[in-house]
Amino acid sequence: MTISAYTVTDPVAAHGEGPVWSARWGGLRWVDMLAGDVLALDERGAVRRRHVGAVAAVVRPRMAGGYLVAAERELLLADTDDLDAPLRSLGEAWSDPAIRMNEGGCDPDGRFYIGSMAYDAGRGRGSFCVAEPPDGRLRVVLPEVTISNGFDFSPDGRLAYYADTTTGRVDVLDYDPEGGLSGRRPFVSVDPAQGAPDGLTVDAEGGVWVALWDGGAVHRYDTGGGLDAVIDLPVRKVTAVAFGGERLDRLFITTSALNVDRGEQPEAGALFAADPGVAGRPVLPTAL
């Protein structure tokens, strides 16, 4: 099945990533990652922007109210949902300026996971970590990853899906509330001619929607790993996906303009959406 995408905004981001819908926020937020900005889409379709530092890698709601931002090498917490709320740092997670935070998400029990990567995308220089409550100290879960990307859970919370982009795979892991993640194994491999797996989200039926970097598309894989839907986009660097809207039945898609000829791809960096005929699930918040 082929699904059409349509533009929601102008090309407002140099490197759009990490869309997240929260009814508490009143809509969608995402990041212009390497500009260090969190973006918010209001009900009229206007975009607000808040600068948080050199990098804004991930934004997630907090269980207690407010939100979390993963910045270049630190986690930042806001105590209210206002986009411009004051941010406090949980401290520098590491000192190496060549390594930055990239993508992450939460497990069903509120733990926040964050991946890292080298600015030069050096192989094996990143890691995938969990931030342990209450202080947010990072513990490595998966060492020696390269470009840590999409992360989400099955509807029953028993499986986690994760992509290290340079492997060309989406992997699946078992999840246990006490033991955490284990048993990493391949879920689906993407033909390099179709792009590389970037951000992902899981719908209410367990289908896995994967943004394809340099592939100009989003793929949906069923629970067995079979490709059953494709969303084609007019730009190549598709970065991440998230369900939103009042009924969580609209799929938002972020894109990048990094090293793109805007003459050839004038909409690179725009926010897109599609109506896939299936609903998503509410975003998992963090307990931090």
Side-chain angles (χ1 to χ4, degrees), residues 170-195:
V170 175
D171 291 337
V172 61
L173 301 95
D174 299 310
Y175 176 72
D176 174 79
E178 298 299 325
L181 298 173
S182 64
R184 181 182 179 185
R185 55 203 181 272
F187 171 65
V188 68
S189 294
V190 177
D191 183 338
Q194 297 180 318

